[in-house]
Amino acid sequence: AQVVFAVLCVVKGGFLLLPNSMSAVGVVAQLAYKLVTAPQTSSQSFCNVIKLGTFCRTVVWPILPSLAFYQYIRKTDEDYYTLDVLYYKSGSKDYKAFYDTSRVGGSGHWRLQQDLEAIRAAANPE
């Protein structure tokens, strides 16, 4: 028993009957392709596509990596500032209890040390 799907298509303003769901995927792919290639139908819209691509290459792409790197630095700096305030307010003189620089891969943060110790204790009961 085949299920027949009725899909309203913008293509030539009619209905399209699909015998199964795999052909529905094909129709969706065709519509997506036509949506992407439709701006290139006239010479003016083709020029607009070129202008948009040039804008993306010259303005957007150079800004995105630097903006992402800036946000990463800000977040890391905020984390370390919070860690310094916590260390200062605790009155402790053992800085390795808060951030141990000898640990590998950023696992020196006190929360990570605490979590890793809890995992170790649960994995190796004594």
Side-chain angles (χ1 to χ4, degrees), residues 75-107:
K75 182 62 179 160
T76 304
D77 190 39
E78 182 181 336
D79 288 344
Y80 284 132
Y81 175 74
T82 306
L83 194 63
D84 284 343
V85 169
L86 180 65
Y87 171 67
Y88 175 75
K89 297 238 179 195
S90 72
S92 175
K93 298 296 177 199
D94 183 23
Y95 66 91
K96 287 195 175 203
F98 294 93
Y99 194 84
D100 190 0
T101 55
S102 66
R103 290 188 156 235
V104 179
S107 63

Side-chain angles (χ1 to χ4, degrees), residues 1-119:
Q2 289 184 337
V3 178
V4 178
F5 294 101
V7 177
L8 176 63
C9 294
V10 183
V11 181
K12 304 215 178 185
F15 286 96
L16 181 63
L17 295 176
L18 303 172
N20 59 25
S21 62
M22 284 310 291
S23 57
V25 173
V27 169
V28 170
Q30 285 176 348
L31 289 175
Y33 176 75
K34 288 178 182 179
L35 181 69
V36 171
T37 58
Q40 299 178 9
T41 54
S42 70
S43 61
Q44 180 60 39
S45 55
F46 187 74
C47 288
N48 287 339
V49 169
I50 291 173
K51 288 177 187 176
L52 182 65
T54 304
F55 176 75
C56 287
R57 277 193 316 275
T58 57
V59 176
V60 175
W61 288 122
I63 290 175
L64 281 180
S66 57
L67 184 64
F69 190 59
Y70 173 71
Q71 291 294 331
Y72 170 76
I73 290 173
R74 274 188 51 196
K75 182 62 179 160
T76 304
D77 190 39
E78 182 181 336
D79 288 344
Y80 284 132
Y81 175 74
T82 306
L83 194 63
D84 284 343
V85 169
L86 180 65
Y87 171 67
Y88 175 75
K89 297 238 179 195
S90 72
S92 175
K93 298 296 177 199
D94 183 23
Y95 66 91
K96 287 195 175 203
F98 294 93
Y99 194 84
D100 190 0
T101 55
S102 66
R103 290 188 156 235
V104 179
S107 63
H109 193 279
W110 70 276
R111 285 297 293 182
L112 283 174
Q113 287 181 26
Q114 185 180 14
D115 294 344
L116 289 172
E117 182 59 31
I119 292 170

